[in-house]
Amino acid sequence: MDVILYVAAISAFAPTLALMYAVLRKYTYPAVEQPFFSDPAFFKLFVVGLVAGTLLFAGYTYLNWLNMIYMALFAAIQCLVMVVVMNLKRFHGKSDSVFYGYGLGLGIGCAMAFGMIYYFGKAIVNIGDDAADAVAYFVLFLIALSYILITSAIGTTVGEGIARLRPMEFALQAVFVNVVFSLIMWAAYINSGESEILFYACIAMALIVAAVYFYYIMYVKLSSVVKDVLRMEGKARKDVPR
């Protein structure tokens, strides 16, 4: 039995589903009579994200993570993949596109987190020190959680651009944030064998950046974005959550 596989699956899918529920519960039944998005469409985008994230992670494993340019380019490619998936006519100018962007980002982030925990988990097993293994797994989980947070948030940003009919403007915002996050991770990687203090500081900083951006997008902006796009569509709803 491949224990690492189960650990990776639980560590990636548990926070993903928790974040999915935490954000969406106010925008769907029974919190509101008429949901703000279609559940089947959301989960289709989530599955597309899982597939895209798996392919992206496969490419990620071939990168030189100590090369700053490669890390920045990969971060930009992640965002462009989301734009390509979301930039379909059926999503243009629709308020539910914001939620579908969230689903797509969650799927990509979950797949990246799963791959990362499994990929590095195999290496951790070889350490042979239970205490060191526990610390390593905890740090690995924090890295994976950071990827889920940042990727779902930038997916929502891309979805907002599609909904507002300004895809490239918001895609550039997503690219900027993701590149900053990736460069912090790059700094963590280059210090992993040099300075434990700097390594842990960079991991903490990456998690803070991801968590703050996620909170800003999902809890500060989301409600007003939905209202704005509904107004663009000529629709009025008084039940948009705050």
Side-chain angles (χ1 to χ4, degrees):
M1 183 175 66
D2 192 345
V3 177
I4 304 299
L5 182 67
Y6 293 105
V7 171
I10 293 170
S11 299
F13 279 90
T16 297
L17 295 176
L19 290 172
M20 187 185 295
Y21 173 77
V23 171
L24 299 182
R25 63 188 175 85
K26 297 188 296 183
Y27 293 91
T28 191
Y29 185 85
V32 291
E33 269 191 46
Q34 183 183 355
F36 286 85
F37 60 93
S38 163
D39 286 344
F42 177 88
F43 282 103
K44 282 179 184 176
L45 268 296
F46 178 67
V47 171
V48 170
L50 289 174
V51 175
T54 302
L55 295 175
L56 284 166
F57 183 75
Y60 189 69
T61 59
Y62 287 98
L63 287 182
N64 176 2
W65 298 339
L66 302 183
N67 187 306
M68 182 175 65
I69 295 175
Y70 288 165
M71 293 291 285
L73 284 175
F74 182 82
I77 289 170
Q78 267 188 310
C79 297
L80 293 177
V81 166
M82 295 183 197
V83 174
V84 169
V85 173
M86 289 294 300
N87 197 25
L88 298 175
K89 192 173 182 180
R90 74 184 82 155
F91 297 130
H92 289 187
K94 303 295 177 68
S95 60
D96 52 359
S97 296
V98 182
F99 298 99
Y100 301 146
Y102 180 50
L104 177 64
L106 270 178
I108 292 176
C110 182
M112 289 285 294
F114 174 83
M116 192 158 293
I117 294 171
Y118 185 74
Y119 185 82
F120 286 112
K122 288 289 189 181
I124 291 171
V125 169
N126 297 324
I127 294 175
D129 182 330
D130 290 343
D133 284 0
V135 172
Y137 275 119
F138 179 69
V139 172
L140 188 53
F141 173 75
L142 293 182
I143 293 173
L145 177 61
S146 299
Y147 273 100
I148 296 170
L149 289 168
I150 198 70
T151 309
S152 58
I154 63 175
T156 309
T157 300
V158 169
E160 180 182 351
I162 300 296
R164 291 186 184 276
L165 301 176
R166 289 146 55 192
M168 292 316 298
E169 175 187 337
F170 285 87
L172 288 174
Q173 176 183 322
V175 167
F176 174 76
V177 173
N178 206 28
V179 167
V180 169
F181 172 81
S182 293
L183 292 181
I184 296 172
M185 290 306 304
W186 164 78
Y189 293 144
I190 64 172
N191 283 294
S192 59
E194 303 293 331
S195 169
E196 278 194 11
I197 294 176
L198 287 176
F199 171 71
Y200 291 131
C202 289
I203 295 300
M205 189 183 301
L207 180 59
I208 290 169
V209 168
V212 168
Y213 190 66
F214 180 89
Y215 180 82
Y216 171 68
I217 294 296
M218 308 313 305
Y219 290 98
V220 177
K221 279 193 68 179
L222 183 59
S223 178
S224 60
V225 171
V226 172
K227 288 178 183 176
D228 288 348
V229 181
L230 284 171
R231 198 176 300 117
M232 282 173 49
E233 293 181 88
K235 299 175 182 178
R237 290 189 62 165
K238 297 180 179 180
D239 59 345
V240 180
R242 292 184 178 181

